[in-house]
Amino acid sequence: MTEIALPQHHEHEHPSGITRWLFTTNHKDIGTLYLLFAVSMLFIGGSFAMVVRLELFQPGLQFVSPHFFNQMTTMHALVMIFGAVMPAFVGLANWMIPMMIGAPDMALPRLNNWSFWLLPFAFTLLLSTLFMPGGAPSGGWTMYPPLVLQTGMAFPFLIFAVHLMGISSVMGAINVITTVFNMRAPGMTYHKLPLFVWTWVVTAFLLIAAMPVLAGAVTMLLTDKYFGTSFFNAAGGGDPVMFQHVFWFFGHPEVYIMILPAFGIVSQIVPTFARKPLFGYTSMIYAVASIAFLSFIVWAHHMFTVGMPLAGELFFMYSTVLIAVPTGVKVFNWVATMWRGSMSFETPMLWALCFIILFSIGGFSGLMLGLAPADFQYQDTYFVVAHFHYVLVTGAVFAIIAGVYFWLPKWTGRMYDERLGKLHFWLSTISVNLLFFPQHFLGLAGMPRRIPDYAVQYAEWNMLSSIGAFLFGASQLIFVYVVVRAMSGHGEKATDQVWEGARGLEWTLSSPPPYHSFNEPPKVP
Amino acid sequence: MNTVPQSVADLAADNRRLAWQLALGALLMVGFGYLLVPIYRVFCEYTGFNGTTARIDLGRAATQGIDRSRWVTVEFAANTSADLPWDFRPEVASLRVHPGEMVVAQYEARNRSRREIIGQAVPSVTPGQAAAHFRKIECFCFSRQPLAPGQTLKLPVQFQVDTGLPPGIATLTLSYTFFELPGGRITAAGIRHEVPS
Ligand code: HEM
Ligand SMILES: [Cu+2]
């Protein structure tokens, strides 16, 4: 940990140096740790993606072997999902939830420390597989048997890394729920909770319900490989397709774990810069809850092509398409919040607006994929890749970046450089569309996903996509510069309220907030 | 709600209690993940999803009348897993049968290797909607099949296509895949102690 610590008011009161970060039970410290961890994983996972796009720049095999290429796609997904997006959301939850509900800290501070410090161990296990004989896992992040069982030495490392990540996020979820249920300031009723808090509570329940199922599934893989069980082994009476059912029973709720907190962030930002209260607060909460419920009954839309009977295809098709209704409610409410607002377009708002538009594109391609007969064409093509990158990159990641710009002045007490923020935004938005939009066309034209080489008719779109990728990757360096500058105390001093339209307890605290906020419960307006 | 002032100790105890309850929930979900395995199997057997075929005994099969007005083609497919050194094939590629009729088809397997190998055949019927209407009365897949080096074995399957087969279906494919069974594996499987039917 470098010493670009946030400026603190009571620096002398607690241990400094490395032990401060190792033993800290402070929600702000832990939030910072999570966010720094997430951004370093963003760059590690990002560099894997650069290898993938480099190889796909032209048809033919140029730079890496197919086996290494497959390791890169697999590790990219695992690192981004479990190392970047999920920890970033937990970091934001740690920083913001106690301040938003008027609590002095998280409910279970020591558990909090532990859940963070499991992550460096998990990712040391996972990343070390790159240097093992046989290389890193290369069977895809979905870990389908029997292919995944051919993984070499890396296999048990993969499984135990997944176990650790799972334990970490379940502990984080327990902490969030306990904090929100028990630690709210007097008068902070459930109907006053900011939407970021609401979406996180729902997410936490999803985590508790879904992550253990993944842990179970990978444990079955482990015992199938080493202990002679046959859960997924046809010879012993098992069935490899069953893994897909169990995996996606986790997997689909997992994608909502990665988007619900993003909805929360956007629901904080849009009212602030539209200078109007959020339109349809209650309907937002019901929408989030129904999305969470539906996410448990749609899993087989990832497996339309495994040979389900018609009734199954229809059930999963209808339930999948049904999710568009609550999602549409949310988008409608954001737009209605802006309607006749006095809007201004500071950097966080730009990211949030772009989220709304680009996430909706991802939602639409999701609807196309959700139509069972159409999915037979799209399954395992670049169309799916385009879909989930629109929802995850321009969805989840854009919302995280929006949140960081939004709250950075509160955390550090310094305004970031607005000009650089806008530059970062425009470069990212243009390049990300150059990167992912052509992948729709590639997919519709039949280019399969997870391949290192392709037929020449796909060359142009792939080259454009790769150029977009390099630009997008490079643009993120601006982000790092902006954040490091604010963290090291450069830039204009931020006011307590920071944004003219900001409402809520967190904005009543000083910027940066005291190490222990709300030792005396605040008055809730 | 937390509007009543609480002592710090009370709050800590409350937090701990809720945290343990949630942790218990997580633990139950691990169990649920495992429970999905038998649920899935029972579900597939009951509905015939995933090509899981039904099994009935001779007495019940005989009670069904034969629908001589209708012909159904049953195709036979044979596969071996990549690392099983067996030749495995059906004696005829397909048969035309009447629904309700009792039919015997023959497969043949030969062990090409120099060691004894125990094989297990896993059946599947496509299309999926037909699987529930395909009844096996006697099948070599009901038990494991040991083959001595070089040995050839005739493998019969006695079946019946149910008269309730949906009208649109004129062709079914019965497919078997043979897998090598390492000694004692199947009882260690932890999911089913009998062989698949
Ligand atoms: C209206 C909402 C959505 C619908 C209808 C939808 C539908 C689908 C469908 C049908 C697939 C499977 C495509 C195939 O493999 O052939 C899919 C894949 C995927 N979706 Fe979505 N989706 C939606 C929203 C989301 C969101 C919000 C996320 C994440 C934040 C997400 C992440 C993913 C991912 C990661 C995959 C690919 C998984 C893989 O095979 O590796 N989706 N989606
Ligand atoms: Cu899904």
Side-chain angles (χ1 to χ4, degrees), chain A residues 182 184 209 230 235 239 245 309, chain B residues 2 15 29 40 49-50 179 191:
Chain A
N182 289 355
R184 281 167 293 118
S230 306
D239 186 341
H245 282 285
Chain B
N2 192 21
N15 287 347
M29 283 312 291
Y40 171 80
F49 279 16
N50 199 24
F179 293 91
I191 39 172

Side-chain angles (χ1 to χ4, degrees), chain A residues 243-443:
Chain A
F243 176 84
Q244 301 187 22
H245 282 285
V246 183
F247 180 86
W248 288 114
F249 186 85
F250 144 82
H252 192 81
E254 167 69 13
V255 307
Y256 282 97
I257 287 167
M258 293 189 284
I259 205 67
L260 294 185
F263 290 168
I265 295 170
V266 171
S267 305
Q268 300 298 131
I269 293 177
V270 170
T272 303
F273 295 97
R275 294 173 178 76
K276 267 177 68 193
L278 185 69
F279 183 89
Y281 171 86
T282 317
S283 68
M284 283 301 219
I285 297 168
Y286 282 111
V288 172
S290 40
I291 290 175
F293 168 76
L294 288 173
S295 74
F296 280 104
I297 58 162
V298 299
W299 74 88
H301 64 209
H302 296 272
M303 338 167 25
F304 281 137
T305 56
V306 294
M308 262 190 289
L310 193 62
E313 304 262 335
L314 286 177
F315 172 79
F316 287 109
M317 173 167 107
Y318 290 133
S319 56
T320 298
V321 174
L322 202 59
I323 295 196
V325 176
T327 312
V329 167
K330 305 204 69 90
V331 173
F332 174 81
N333 283 348
W334 290 320
V335 174
T337 305
M338 291 184 276
W339 177 250
R340 300 204 162 159
S342 50
M343 300 226 285
S344 58
F345 299 92
E346 286 86 343
T347 307
M349 182 64 164
L350 288 177
W351 288 96
L353 286 175
C354 213
F355 167 95
I356 298 173
I357 296 166
L358 297 180
F359 172 78
S360 298
I361 293 182
F364 286 137
S365 58
L367 283 175
M368 291 171 69
L369 292 165
L371 303 176
D375 185 64
F376 275 68
Q377 182 191 344
Y378 309 146
Q379 161 87 73
D380 268 337
T381 67
Y382 257 82
F383 193 81
V384 178
V385 178
H387 158 66
F388 65 71
H389 283 98
Y390 266 88
V391 283
L392 283 171
V393 179
T394 60
V397 175
F398 268 37
I400 290 167
I401 295 175
V404 171
Y405 276 108
F406 187 49
W407 287 312
L408 192 67
K410 171 57 61 189
W411 299 337
T412 63
R414 299 285 170 171
M415 289 308 282
Y416 58 84
D417 186 327
E418 191 64 47
R419 269 186 25 255
L420 282 179
K422 292 217 163 95
L423 180 71
H424 175 212
F425 167 77
W426 284 110
L427 280 178
S428 299
T429 299
I430 293 166
S431 59
V432 87
N433 283 295
L434 189 61
L435 162 55
F436 292 123
F437 211 84
Q439 296 183 357
H440 290 114
F441 308 141
L442 287 171

Side-chain angles (χ1 to χ4, degrees), chain A residues 107-108 174 177-178 181-184 187 189 208-209 212 216 219-220 228 230-231 233-235 237 239 242 245 249 309, chain B residues 1-3 11 14-15 18-19 22-23 26 29-30 32-34 37 40 49-50 120 122 179-181 185 188-189 191-192:
Chain A
L108 307 151
I174 290 176
I177 295 175
T178 311
F181 280 19
N182 289 355
M183 306 283 284
R184 281 167 293 118
T189 62
I208 290 176
T219 310
M220 291 181 224
S230 306
F231 288 103
N233 176 1
D239 186 341
M242 191 178 58
H245 282 285
F249 186 85
Chain B
M1 230 180 316
N2 192 21
T3 41
L11 181 61
D14 274 3
N15 287 347
L18 182 54
L22 293 167
M29 283 312 291
V30 179
F32 179 74
Y34 273 85
V37 176
Y40 171 80
F49 279 16
N50 199 24
Q120 170 67 56
V122 176
F179 293 91
E180 176 168 0
L181 211 58
R185 252 252 168 114
I191 39 172
R192 63 164 74 173

Side-chain angles (χ1 to χ4, degrees), chain B residues 64-123:
Chain B
Q64 232 185 27
I66 299 174
D67 180 359
R68 298 205 183 273
S69 64
R70 193 172 163 195
W71 285 105
V72 177
T73 305
V74 180
E75 300 176 331
F76 303 99
N79 308 286
T80 52
S81 77
D83 45 1
L84 181 68
W86 283 14
D87 296 325
F88 174 49
R89 57 185 183 80
E91 224 151 54
V92 291
S94 67
L95 284 175
R96 299 228 304 153
V97 306
H98 291 301
E101 191 182 352
M102 215 89 71
V103 188
V104 177
Q106 294 283 351
Y107 279 73
E108 193 182 88
R110 194 177 73 89
N111 183 351
R112 281 190 266 113
S113 76
R114 299 229 199 107
R115 59 193 172 94
E116 180 179 77
I117 294 176
I118 305 177
Q120 170 67 56
V122 176

Side-chain angles (χ1 to χ4, degrees), chain A residues 63-103:
Chain A
F63 298 99
V64 295
S65 70
H67 181 51
F68 189 71
F69 181 92
N70 290 341
Q71 295 175 35
M72 288 292 101
T73 54
T74 305
M75 292 292 277
H76 163 70
L78 289 168
V79 168
M80 286 304 198
I81 292 171
F82 295 106
V85 173
M86 290 170 70
F89 281 131
V90 182
L92 294 174
N94 260 294
W95 254 104
M96 300 317 296
I97 289 179
M99 298 205 292
M100 286 178 159
I101 65 171

